[in-house]
Amino acid sequence: MQKMERIKIIGVDISVVDFNSAQKYLFDNFEEARGHYICAANVHTTVTAHENSNYREVQNNSFMTLPDGKPLSVVGKKRGKSSMGRVTGPDFLEEVLKRTENTEVRHYFYGTTQENLDSFISAVKKSYPNLKIVGVEPSVFRSLTVKEEDELLERISESQADFVWIALGAPRQEIFCNKLSSRSNAVWVAVGGAFNVISGVIPRAPQWMQDHGLEWFYRFMKEPRRLFKRYFVTNSKFLWYLFRDKGEK
């Protein structure tokens, strides 16, 4: 297996990929990816990883850490990685579903609330009626006991899932994948709010805003109180850390 190229951004290893190359690398190396996990990194997760060495290790030990946030791919391009482009969690998930719909590949979905998960599964079945869904479970919104972890892994094993999609929110979901993925034969993917985006529970920004890296502003306008700290405080930290480490390669 050819090792995935990565670039270090404020101490976090981000994969040098775009949408197409990320999919190609995954499917070209699918058997090697089993028992490992994929992260979708943005400014929030990158700053969190920069400030927390344990979480940084989780991010850096992934099979791939996708540049979900536009600023990450922009930094990569400025550092000479011209092939780097944004790869969002929802887009990555939908493309995998599309590619595997008429195959024997099996999918297990874990996370969000039962109501939102029901909406997501309904949308998936409508768009990909031939997709093999072998497990669907909502989050319990707390840490699992050892017994619960063992039981979840047993259910995943019995389902013979090839993909386990985890939507718990960062940093919990990446830590969850790091802890459990190696005890399975599936590829685990931490996709954050992708379930809610695909189901329409969370509206996506217009394409032009996504293309110009303004999706964060669209979300902020929808939920200003909840997202103020994440987008303004965290973004300011990111710029400061980036300036401080501007010589980093």
Side-chain angles (χ1 to χ4, degrees):
M1 180 181 74
Q2 184 177 359
K3 190 174 181 181
M4 168 61 65
E5 183 183 7
R6 300 196 180 206
I7 183 172
K8 197 174 290 294
I9 298 178
I10 63 171
V12 184
D13 295 337
I14 308 298
S15 298
V16 179
V17 292
D18 60 13
F19 182 77
N20 292 326
S21 63
Q23 292 284 328
K24 185 176 189 306
Y25 186 77
L26 170 60
F27 285 103
D28 283 354
N29 301 282
F30 191 76
E31 292 305 314
E32 291 82 357
R34 291 184 185 275
H36 298 279
Y37 59 95
I38 295 171
C39 303
N42 54 31
V43 167
H44 171 66
T45 62
T46 304
V47 168
T48 302
H50 178 84
E51 296 177 340
N52 184 308
S53 60
N54 291 330
Y55 184 52
R56 182 165 65 250
E57 185 175 355
V58 168
Q59 289 276 351
N60 290 351
N61 285 337
S62 68
F63 180 76
M64 277 195 293
T65 294
L66 307 172
D68 182 301
K70 181 76 170 182
L72 300 182
S73 61
V74 169
V75 171
K77 285 180 181 294
K78 287 185 175 180
R79 292 184 179 176
K81 306 301 180 182
S82 60
S83 62
M84 203 165 171
R86 189 182 183 202
V87 187
T88 73
D91 289 341
F92 187 82
L93 169 53
E94 287 225 75
E95 182 64 17
V96 172
L97 299 186
K98 179 181 177 181
R99 286 181 177 226
T100 60
E101 180 187 4
N102 295 298
T103 71
E104 294 303 310
V105 173
R106 301 157 74 90
H107 298 267
Y108 203 107
F109 299 99
Y110 183 91
T112 194
T113 65
Q114 185 66 63
E115 181 181 4
N116 289 354
L117 190 56
D118 288 343
S119 297
F120 167 71
I121 295 299
S122 177
V124 167
K125 287 183 176 179
K126 183 177 180 180
S127 297
Y128 313 101
N130 297 321
L131 191 76
K132 288 182 171 53
I133 299 174
V134 295
V136 178
E137 295 187 42
S139 172
V140 295
F141 294 96
R142 59 169 171 77
S143 298
L144 299 183
T145 65
V146 172
K147 181 174 182 292
E148 287 172 330
E149 289 177 350
D150 291 342
E151 290 172 346
L152 172 61
L153 286 165
E154 185 176 351
R155 292 191 295 274
I156 290 171
S157 177
E158 289 177 350
S159 76
Q160 298 183 320
D162 297 293
F163 280 99
V164 179
W165 301 93
I166 304 295
L168 301 176
R172 182 184 168 204
Q173 61 189 7
E174 292 83 14
I175 295 169
F176 190 81
C177 289
N178 173 263
K179 185 177 183 181
L180 300 182
S181 62
S182 63
R183 295 170 61 190
S184 80
N185 192 44
V187 179
W188 293 48
V189 192
V191 288
F195 292 4
N196 292 342
V197 170
I198 291 172
S199 68
V201 172
I202 297 177
R204 293 203 76 172
Q207 189 62 49
W208 71 268
M209 296 189 80
Q210 296 179 46
D211 293 342
H212 289 82
L214 294 173
E215 192 168 12
W216 68 271
F217 185 71
Y218 180 84
R219 291 179 180 174
F220 172 72
M221 294 302 292
K222 295 288 184 180
E223 300 180 90
R225 289 190 177 184
R226 186 178 75 86
L227 296 176
F228 177 81
K229 182 177 180 180
R230 170 176 292 192
Y231 287 138
F232 287 91
V233 176
T234 305
N235 286 8
S236 297
K237 283 184 174 182
F238 178 74
L239 292 173
W240 166 246
Y241 292 145
L242 199 63
F243 173 77
R244 190 180 63 183
D245 299 334
K246 61 183 178 181
E248 178 185 44
K249 299 294 183 184

